[in-house]
Amino acid sequence: MLRIGICDDSADARIALRAALERALDRRRGAGTFFEFSSGEGLLRWLEKHAGELDMVFLDIEMGELDGMETARRLRAADEGLQLVFVTGYTDYVFDGYSVGALGYLMKPAQPERLDEVLDRGLEARLREEDKVFLCRSGETMYRIPKKAILYFSSDRRQVSCVSTARTYTFYGKLDEVERTVGDSFVRVHQRYLVRAGAVERMDGGQIFLGEEVLPVSRAHRSAALAALARTALEG
């Protein structure tokens, strides 16, 4: 299921685009969850508390104080994998989208053929991004967390916490399963801790340092952790 944000200062435009997107998803036998925003400021504030909860955002360019282009720049700075689509009534801005890696442009009103093209590209891009993100579900929400933003995972019985540079995500699972999912860019340093090797600043005795975070390294995992960290350092 795609999680789609629609940002437009016109309520009528949001309603029309959502209806068009629902029809486009129906043609693919797919479904989407929609989040509507009346301003770029509102969207950015929401994402501060809900990082990784959107797959795609449709942005009107001509909005109030913070227009769609500046909103897109700030979104891209916070999340490189977020798919951005501009919606506009003018052709003047088409080439500006390259600077923020926009997935495409839609002229108002959005035509079904163009909407299909953009959704297809978005779904393809999402598949390509799967090896770059970690997906987890907490309650009713599915989070898409860029792996390079993750510092470490910790476990407490059946509860796993993913500590990233933005926030901490908590979900039910096993650390062994997480380790198999994230690949060899993460290293087990303790029965309860799995760290991203690239986030480690140094290892000193029985401790590992990740910025302000200090985690224990168990004797059982010390040799493997040292080898993995050395390999990461050599690979740059």
Side-chain angles (χ1 to χ4, degrees):
M1 178 180 290
L2 278 176
R3 298 163 302 172
I4 300 172
I6 300 174
C7 186
D8 196 309
D9 55 5
S10 165
D12 289 341
R14 294 196 304 272
I15 292 170
L17 181 56
R18 175 170 179 162
L21 284 165
E22 287 174 339
R23 290 192 295 270
L25 288 169
D26 283 343
R27 290 193 290 273
R28 287 160 179 72
R29 300 183 183 278
T33 301
F34 295 90
F35 302 83
E36 296 185 21
F37 307 92
S38 60
S39 69
E41 295 92 336
L43 169 59
L44 292 167
R45 281 195 301 270
W46 185 85
L47 279 173
E48 286 178 0
K49 297 181 179 179
H50 301 273
E53 292 187 33
L54 292 178
D55 299 306
M56 184 179 293
V57 175
F58 288 79
L59 283 166
D60 178 32
I61 292 183
E62 303 86 18
M63 292 191 290
E65 293 184 10
L66 194 66
D67 65 19
M69 194 60 65
E70 180 57 30
T71 301
R73 292 189 184 98
R74 299 187 190 185
L75 289 172
R76 178 59 70 235
D79 187 345
E80 293 182 1
L82 183 61
Q83 303 301 322
L84 304 176
V85 181
F86 289 114
V87 185
T88 180
Y90 305 93
T91 59
D92 306 33
Y93 304 97
V94 170
F95 294 105
D96 294 340
Y98 290 110
S99 65
V100 292
L103 191 66
Y105 270 84
L106 294 175
M107 296 296 295
K108 293 181 179 180
Q111 298 302 307
E113 297 81 6
R114 286 287 297 136
L115 202 53
D116 286 342
E117 290 174 12
V118 166
L119 278 177
D120 286 342
R121 287 203 299 272
L123 290 168
E124 290 170 5
R126 188 185 183 198
L127 289 174
R128 290 195 300 271
E129 284 290 314
E130 282 187 351
D131 63 340
K132 299 179 182 178
V133 299
F134 175 74
L135 299 175
C136 67
R137 180 180 295 278
S138 181
E140 297 299 316
T141 303
M142 179 67 77
Y143 295 98
R144 180 179 55 83
I145 311 165
K147 288 183 181 178
K148 68 179 183 179
I150 297 172
L151 298 176
Y152 66 91
F153 295 90
S154 66
S155 68
D156 184 5
R157 298 178 184 176
R158 286 284 298 173
Q159 186 167 283
V160 177
S161 294
C162 172
V163 180
S164 77
T165 54
R167 55 171 288 190
T168 297
Y169 305 83
T170 302
F171 57 95
Y172 287 102
K174 294 182 178 180
L175 201 57
D176 289 343
E177 295 172 354
V178 173
E179 186 175 7
R180 287 192 291 270
T181 300
V182 294
D184 58 9
S185 59
F186 287 75
V187 58
R188 194 73 168 261
V189 298
H190 191 279
Q191 186 65 22
R192 292 184 54 204
Y193 296 104
L194 175 68
V195 305
R196 182 170 63 85
V200 175
E201 294 181 357
R202 72 182 194 277
M203 183 172 168
D204 187 359
Q207 293 181 315
I208 205 162
F209 295 80
L210 306 91
E212 297 180 357
E213 299 277 357
V214 182
L215 303 178
V217 180
S218 69
R219 290 183 179 179
H221 293 89
R222 180 178 170 80
S223 295
L226 278 170
L229 294 175
R231 183 174 63 250
T232 299
L234 289 172
E235 293 173 352

